[in-house]
Every structure is written in structure tokens, then in C-alpha cells.
Amino acid sequence: STIKTPEDVDGLLIRLSDESGKGADFRLVFAKALSSAYETDINETIVKDLAMDEYELCSSVEPFGVKTIIVRF
């Protein structure tokens, strides 16, 4: 898992992986209110918008998969 600044956009990039082979649902909770959240490919190209509440977002990772998310505050 990684947290870093994205290459070409403002925000925070979060990369999560499943190494168990079981896949997993997850919930991320932030101290600051989110203005947007996106799923990206490995090259940080936005693939789709993610549903979110003011301070959290929920998604899942496929078995042995990688999920890359960019959030903006």
C-alpha cells in the first residue's frame, strides 16, 4: 500500500493491494471533508468517479488486485 502526491493532479493518491487472495471491502475515513474521489489505473489516469460521503469512501479490491484512488479535499 502507498500514499503519495499524484503526478499530474492535486490531491492524495492511495494505492491499496490484496495480497491474501481473498479480496476485501474497505472504508477510508478522512479528517478533512472530501470534494471528489476517483479510481485510476496504475498510470494514474482517472477511470471513474467513486461514491463518497463527506468524510469517507467505500470500495473493494479484487483478489490479488490493486486499487488506486485519488482523493481531493
Side-chain angles (χ1 to χ4, degrees):
S1 298
T2 301
I3 297 176
K4 69 179 198 99
T5 304
E7 298 295 327
D8 297 328
V9 296
D10 292 333
L12 185 66
L13 182 137
I14 304 163
R15 187 167 289 139
L16 304 168
S17 62
D18 172 58
E19 298 175 9
S20 71
K22 297 178 182 177
D25 294 330
F26 63 86
R27 180 176 73 137
L28 301 175
V29 180
F30 299 90
K32 291 178 74 175
L34 297 170
S35 65
S36 58
Y38 308 98
E39 182 176 339
T40 73
D41 63 18
I42 200 73
N43 297 314
E44 301 181 19
T45 302
I46 294 172
V47 175
K48 67 178 182 177
D49 292 347
L50 291 175
M52 60 179 197
D53 290 329
E54 188 174 3
Y55 291 94
E56 70 179 38
L57 67 90
C58 298
S59 191
S60 62
V61 179
E62 298 293 324
F64 297 111
V66 175
K67 176 80 66 157
T68 304
I69 296 168
I70 292 177
V71 295
R72 292 181 180 152
F73 303 97

